[in-house]
Amino acid sequence: MASLLGRFCRKLVVPGSAHGSRMTSTTACGSETVKSLNLYSAINQALHIALETDPRSYVFGEDVGFGGVFRCTTGLAERFGKNRVFNTPLCEQGIVGFGIGLAAMGNRAVVEIQFADYIYPAFDQIVNEAAKFRYRSGNQFNCGGLTIRAPYGAVGHGGHYHSQSPEAFFCHVPGIKVVIPRSPREAKGLLLSSIRDPNPVVFFEPKWLYRQAVEEVPEHDYMIPLSQAEVIREGSDITLVGWGAQLTVMEQACLDAEKEGISCELIDLKTLLPWDKETVEASVKKTGRLLISHEAPITGGFGAEISATILERCFLKLEAPVSRVCGLDTPFPLVFEPFYMPTKNKASSSSSLSSPSKNTHFLIHGFSRLL
Amino acid sequence: MTCQVRQGTTCTCRPSNPLPTNIVKDTTSFLHMAMWFARSRNLVSSLRQNLGLSAILIKRNHSSPRPVFTNYELSSKVFLDPSTSFRHESTAVESQPDLVQQSDHEDDAQELDFPGGKVGYTSEMKFIPESSSRRIPCYRVLNEHGKIISDSDFIPVSEKLAVRMYEQMATLQVMDHIFYEAQRQGRISFYLTSVGEEAINIASAAALSPEDVVLPQYREPGVLLWRGFTLEEFANQCFGNKADYGKGRQMPIHYGSNQHNYFTVSSPIATQLPQAAGVGYALKMEKKNACAVTFIGDGGTSEGDFHAGLNFAAVMEAPVVFICRNNGWAISTHISEQFRSDGIVVKGQAYGIRSIRVDGNDALAVYSAVRSAREMAVTEQRPVLIEAMTYRVGHHSTSDDSTKYREADEIQYWKMSRNPVNRFKKWVQDNGWWSEEDESKLRSSTRKQLLQAIQAAEKWEKQPLTELFNDVYDVKTKNLEEQEVGLKALVEKQPQDYPTGFHI
């Protein structure tokens, strides 16, 4: 145990794993074996299970055959054959279009886009075709078997084209689902749910966590439900909502805030579309404050949707304006990355500071220092 | 028998299968085969074991090496010369690792080894011309007078089949005319016709099997008609009534029918092409005796999805028949503004895809070409490209007036003198299979049926309002349930602001 903890200390502490988080859906039976895995290994395990349990499933994309540039598809081609696991030409619109065709014929197509930054050529196929395939046909056809996986987010040195968080574009498209896991254990369960969900899913994997995050991951076949947010840390003073790698940052902020006596409730949204409004609403009605954080640029980011919805539902319970701590409105910069990122030390937006209430003064003052 | 070896897999072709004669004669195919062979090392090693294959394909020529291309013409000399692009026999090249079997062929030193395989080299700097001196000829069987051109290759069509084909072509004409008029009368919101392209629509459909999965663009309702979609079903979709399988969600002519293996039409151009590659691959994996068939116009070939679709189908060795209706116009854009190539047929080879140009207004030629292409696609598990030359006689759609960008004379010429329906009719009549009496009976009964279908569809109940919210996902999500409740309350409160007839 100590050696495991020692190993953890060199990696990021995975949010929700160190504390007794409410794992409402994963079964951690004593008899089930778990293994310490990083994110890409957990994804790999999910893919192995997906292909094993459905002979009509396929995994493909650029460089998928040898294991993928992030090792997520290691061993799949050797085990399941090149008819089911294969490289494609370098063409995202072709990858997704081909996947739609396979899925429309009742297969599961788990396609990989090498970096979320390169998903845009496939945007037409995703928005105009995959998202509308069932609806426009009157449910005669569907491509629910399609899952699009893409590494997203900051990696420390990625610059404009290896760091993007494009989730907001896809959250605006009725007909698809958008899922973002925060950790290895979550990723395996959410990916299996996404693959098996009868709707096309865009699954963004925080590339920063591929190697950095290590967690005990059950070895069996398990699924984590979509569209269910999780309170990974309970608190009473402020609600924080995030997804993916940002939760690691936010959990650090929560720990720091705790030292100042601020009790933070941290929620992992997991599924951004359709998102679990009820869990966030219940939390904010309890705490009276909301802070949303994401790496993507603040303007038009998904935080705006959460903010607007919560304002509609919880206005009278709010003690301060909803705060968003996000990336700047710039292309993702290289040398300026540390300045761009919504780090735990960044001040929360001025709306939190403008609340005049006396008995919340200490809370706001303290918290703004910490975030 | 053409070898379909993919990287890393073993060649399992049986060289004893003879090539179909039309392929052997076609020198274009040699280049296709040549380029396939040149690419795969595994193929090379397995072909070593199947030397019989080489005897069929290669005419050994020990003369001195010649440049790869003297001109763009695909002359047989170029292909059969072993110093040119394909060699499947190994060569011993100095100071290179011995990747393939040694050979004592005297032209050994004339080649270079690159990742894509061996290529001959030349010291003469010569550019491949941007176009061939001669355009790829167009395959045709019937002349303009409906007579079979002597010595034509074609697949015979029985009386029963021919009559059905003609009837369906005429039905399509009547359907187009009446629906177009219905739009003009304001009874449906939109329509687009296939006038001038009836032979492509019907003859291609007739050449397919019902299990072949069709992914249309939008000017191929004749394929659906052939497969048994009724005039009432067409009308229901155009009116978006309760009987519309599409549940009133899309504009008219966006037909779809899973029962008829006809994917629902979507307006974006060419998106169906890479999907067809996926469909074809699915059929291949299921070992079905079926292929994907997908249609595109001349304009659509400029889209990126055309490139994606053909490339994927070729690399994945998917059984797909790509049929391009080159009708000369993409709305108001003439093909001279669409591409600089010799049409679309020449693009097939760029992807390693066997291609043919056919007279799209010749029903027998279209039938033969599609039938052959389909057989190749299924038996050889490969894509095939057909460019069907035709003319869009009608306007692009009811939102278009094509006299604004082309001469009325031109339209008239194609409508009358180059009419595919009349041409086929002549042939069918000359065979004694069709009379003028049959003609008037068919046209008047079809017209009557259509008018009735329209009247019925118009009066039919509308879709219930809940269908606005269904099928976005497999199961209605919470946000949609909430929005539905909200909308229903609003409609009940202020019904005067909303169209009537949508049952809540």
Side-chain angles (χ1 to χ4, degrees):
Chain A
M1 188 63 180
S3 61
L4 276 176
L5 282 172
R7 213 184 311 147
F8 278 141
C9 289
R10 285 198 292 279
K11 310 274 185 193
L12 293 175
V13 176
V14 170
S17 61
H19 307 269
S21 61
R22 271 193 290 129
M23 297 294 246
T24 51
S25 40
T26 54
T27 50
C29 314
S31 54
E32 296 284 0
T33 46
V34 293
K35 203 169 168 195
S36 213
L37 292 181
N38 61 21
L39 183 67
Y40 78 71
S41 301
I43 302 270
N44 185 248
Q45 228 178 59
L47 293 173
H48 272 272
I49 291 172
L51 289 172
E52 195 179 284
T53 52
D54 183 357
R56 294 185 67 190
S57 51
Y58 299 80
V59 170
F60 51 92
E62 295 154 23
D63 304 297
V64 152
F66 86 107
V69 294
F70 288 111
R71 321 298 309 136
C72 292
T73 52
T74 312
L76 295 175
E78 290 86 339
R79 186 170 167 206
F80 298 101
K82 282 168 183 274
N83 285 334
R84 291 178 67 196
V85 180
F86 47 87
N87 291 343
T88 61
L90 210 170
C91 177
E92 288 74 15
Q93 65 198 99
I95 291 168
V96 175
F98 187 87
I100 291 171
L102 260 179
M105 296 295 285
N107 302 292
R108 289 189 214 281
V110 186
V111 320
E112 178 175 305
I113 298 294
Q114 197 155 86
F115 283 86
D117 313 58
Y118 311 138
I119 199 166
Y120 308 109
F123 202 66
D124 187 32
Q125 286 285 349
I126 296 168
V127 173
N128 275 331
E129 298 291 314
K132 298 169 173 57
F133 215 81
R134 185 193 294 274
Y135 191 77
R136 74 188 188 199
S137 71
N139 201 22
Q140 292 187 90
F141 298 99
N142 76 77
C143 61
L146 177 68
T147 304
I148 301 167
R149 293 176 42 246
Y152 91 100
V155 72
H157 54 274
H160 296 355
Y161 304 113
H162 298 83
S163 317
Q164 286 179 42
S165 298
E167 69 271 9
F169 297 118
F170 297 93
C171 291
H172 196 55
V173 185
I176 56 170
K177 296 193 174 182
V178 180
V179 178
I180 306 183
R182 71 170 185 269
S183 75
R185 179 168 39 189
E186 289 289 310
K188 179 176 168 180
L190 286 169
L191 181 56
L192 281 168
S193 289
S194 300
I195 290 170
R196 292 161 175 168
D197 190 282
N199 298 287
V201 177
V202 179
F203 189 85
F204 288 119
E205 300 165 359
K207 67 174 83 69
W208 174 240
L209 300 182
Y210 273 148
R211 287 173 202 272
Q212 290 289 330
V214 176
E215 195 177 21
E216 301 268 284
V217 179
E219 294 204 287
H220 65 278
D221 180 350
Y222 66 94
M223 304 205 292
I224 293 175
L226 303 185
S227 295
Q228 275 188 28
E230 183 188 353
V231 178
I232 60 178
R233 189 192 175 81
E234 285 185 29
S236 53
D237 294 331
I238 181 167
T239 302
L240 288 87
V241 175
W243 50 87
Q246 193 61 13
L247 284 165
T248 324
V249 175
M250 292 164 84
E251 189 162 57
Q252 288 304 309
C254 292
L255 289 169
D256 290 353
E258 205 178 81
K259 296 192 190 103
E260 302 288 322
I262 297 172
S263 164
C264 302
E265 181 143 296
L266 182 59
I267 297 178
D268 177 9
L269 207 56
K270 303 195 202 192
T271 300
L272 272 60
L273 184 76
W275 67 283
D276 179 1
K277 301 178 186 179
E278 283 68 31
T279 299
V280 180
E281 183 184 346
S283 173
V284 176
K285 280 183 171 160
K286 182 175 78 168
T287 63
R289 282 178 174 76
L290 175 62
L291 185 145
I292 307 155
S293 189
H294 57 68
E295 281 179 28
I298 188 167
T299 298
F302 195 64
E305 154 68 21
I306 299 172
S307 175
T309 300
I310 293 304
L311 276 166
E312 282 165 7
R313 292 179 175 217
C314 307
F315 182 72
L316 294 173
K317 294 277 191 174
L318 284 168
E319 292 175 21
V322 175
S323 188
R324 293 179 294 159
V325 181
C326 305
L328 301 172
D329 287 334
T330 69
F332 200 104
L334 181 65
V335 302
F336 306 106
E337 177 169 332
F339 300 93
Y340 167 94
M341 289 289 280
T343 57
K344 71 162 184 167
N345 295 322
K346 228 167 203 184
S348 62
S349 72
S350 60
S351 59
S352 285
L353 295 166
S354 66
S355 182
S357 165
K358 239 195 252 179
N359 50 7
T360 56
H361 172 76
F362 170 73
L363 174 67
I364 296 161
H365 179 68
F367 200 61
S368 69
R369 267 201 303 119
L370 289 158
L371 287 167
Chain B
M1 83 13 88
T2 43
C3 192
Q4 302 295 321
V5 176
R6 287 176 56 208
Q7 192 186 0
T9 63
T10 319
C11 167
T12 55
C13 66
R14 297 185 305 258
S16 54
N17 289 349
L19 291 165
T21 49
N22 57 336
I23 304 295
V24 171
K25 282 180 201 161
D26 183 359
T27 55
T28 312
S29 313
F30 271 117
L31 183 59
H32 293 144
M33 289 187 283
M35 289 168 75
W36 276 108
F37 293 147
R39 229 177 281 159
S40 170
R41 259 191 315 161
N42 286 347
L43 172 54
V44 169
S45 61
S46 62
L47 278 177
R48 256 186 281 135
Q49 294 136 33
N50 297 303
L51 281 173
L53 190 62
S54 65
I56 299 169
L57 288 181
I58 300 169
K59 189 169 125 190
R60 293 287 188 88
N61 184 344
H62 291 258
S63 61
S64 57
R66 272 182 240 122
V68 176
F69 288 103
T70 49
N71 56 42
Y72 196 45
E73 271 184 24
L74 304 171
S75 65
S76 52
K77 251 196 265 181
V78 176
F79 298 93
L80 301 177
D81 183 330
S83 70
T84 56
S85 56
F86 82 86
R87 285 186 67 90
H88 71 274
E89 284 292 296
S90 61
T91 59
V93 182
E94 274 178 317
S95 74
Q96 288 212 356
D98 191 7
L99 298 172
V100 290
Q101 197 180 318
Q102 289 277 1
S103 154
D104 53 4
H105 197 284
E106 62 191 312
D107 286 336
D108 284 356
Q110 303 303 324
E111 293 194 338
L112 299 170
D113 216 351
F114 283 112
K118 291 189 184 296
V119 286
Y121 71 85
T122 172
S123 303
E124 190 187 347
M125 182 180 71
K126 195 128 186 140
F127 286 75
I128 301 169
E130 64 276 14
S131 64
S132 175
S133 52
R134 183 170 167 251
R135 292 190 66 182
I136 301 291
C138 195
Y139 168 61
R140 143 194 276 220
V141 173
L142 286 177
N143 65 17
E144 287 304 335
H145 307 291
K147 302 265 185 267
I148 291 184
I149 299 164
S150 58
D151 292 338
S152 296
D153 281 334
F154 72 104
I155 298 170
V157 167
S158 67
E159 174 181 350
K160 189 172 171 200
L161 182 59
V163 167
R164 178 152 197 252
M165 280 168 67
Y166 178 72
E167 283 176 337
Q168 294 276 288
M169 285 167 74
T171 302
L172 179 56
Q173 273 188 330
V174 179
M175 180 175 105
D176 270 348
H177 175 72
I178 297 205
F179 279 129
Y180 189 89
E181 289 307 309
Q183 193 279 341
R184 281 310 190 226
Q185 292 166 15
R187 295 161 85 179
I188 56 177
S189 59
F190 174 85
Y191 193 72
L192 62 74
T193 67
S194 310
V195 179
E197 303 183 49
E198 295 88 353
I200 294 176
N201 266 253
I202 300 299
S204 66
L208 302 173
S209 89
E211 284 73 43
D212 295 329
V213 179
V214 175
L215 293 90
Q217 178 58 72
Y218 49 58
R219 218 180 285 280
E220 304 91 17
V223 176
L224 195 50
L225 181 69
W226 178 270
R227 288 182 164 199
F229 211 61
T230 66
L231 299 175
E232 290 74 23
E233 286 170 318
F234 281 110
N236 290 334
Q237 195 284 328
C238 287
F239 281 90
N241 61 30
K242 194 171 179 194
D244 170 25
Y245 304 133
K247 300 188 185 162
R249 294 162 182 159
Q250 288 210 91
M251 287 166 68
I253 70 92
H254 289 67
Y255 314 112
S257 174
N258 55 359
Q259 193 198 338
H260 299 101
N261 285 324
Y262 189 94
F263 272 35
T264 302
V265 172
S266 71
S267 309
I269 302 289
T271 48
Q272 67 277 9
L273 301 179
Q275 292 171 20
V279 169
Y281 190 75
L283 291 169
K284 168 173 157 155
M285 291 302 293
E286 291 169 53
K287 297 188 174 21
K288 289 263 166 74
N289 178 1
C291 64
V293 181
T294 186
F295 292 84
I296 188 72
D298 42 280
T301 67
S302 296
E303 279 283 358
D305 272 338
F306 173 79
H307 167 71
L310 266 66
N311 197 34
F312 269 69
V315 170
M316 300 307 301
E317 297 170 13
V320 186
V321 178
F322 293 96
I323 302 178
C324 174
R325 296 176 292 96
N326 183 347
N327 65 19
W329 295 93
I331 308 187
S332 70
T333 305
H334 185 253
I335 46 178
S336 57
E337 295 178 313
Q338 197 67 248
F339 39 70
R340 281 282 175 275
S341 54
D342 172 16
I344 287 93
V345 66
V346 295
K347 299 186 186 200
Q349 193 169 72
Y351 298 100
I353 293 179
R354 196 173 295 164
S355 330
I356 189 168
R357 166 174 279 158
V358 66
D359 178 350
N361 288 2
D362 176 347
L364 288 183
V366 171
Y367 179 82
S368 287
V370 174
R371 180 90 185 260
S372 306
R374 190 243 173 228
E375 291 311 313
M376 283 178 216
V378 176
T379 57
E380 296 177 55
Q381 298 285 284
R382 59 156 65 242
V384 183
L385 172 67
I386 298 175
E387 180 185 14
M389 311 295 281
T390 183
Y391 186 84
R392 193 199 74 209
V393 172
H395 306 305
H396 166 69
S397 73
T398 49
S399 307
D400 178 46
D401 172 10
S402 60
T403 59
K404 287 199 158 34
Y405 50 80
R406 57 184 186 177
E407 296 296 326
D409 287 347
E410 178 188 306
I411 304 170
Q412 197 60 10
Y413 164 71
W414 282 92
K415 187 172 180 174
M416 306 310 293
S417 321
R418 304 288 292 273
N419 187 316
V421 184
N422 293 346
R423 193 161 150 205
F424 190 60
K425 180 181 170 184
K426 284 179 194 143
W427 182 71
V428 177
Q429 276 180 327
D430 287 348
N431 286 330
W433 299 337
W434 190 258
S435 67
E436 281 310 320
E437 203 195 315
D438 294 326
E439 179 80 17
S440 54
K441 244 200 258 178
L442 174 74
R443 290 204 180 247
S444 67
S445 78
T446 305
R447 189 185 151 79
K448 190 170 165 196
Q449 199 184 339
L450 271 157
L451 291 171
Q452 283 171 349
I454 287 177
Q455 278 167 15
E458 208 166 27
K459 293 200 192 81
W460 205 287
E461 208 182 326
K462 298 224 172 65
Q463 288 283 345
L465 193 57
T466 194
E467 290 300 348
L468 166 56
F469 298 97
N470 285 339
D471 306 328
V472 180
Y473 297 96
D474 64 315
V475 167
K476 219 180 286 184
T477 51
K478 272 214 188 96
N479 58 322
L480 288 172
E481 280 171 353
E482 286 166 10
Q483 288 169 22
E484 185 173 6
V485 167
L487 181 64
K488 282 183 178 174
L490 189 61
V491 173
E492 266 159 19
K493 196 171 157 199
Q494 289 165 330
Q496 69 281 0
D497 289 346
Y498 295 95
T500 55
F502 291 88
H503 190 64
I504 295 179

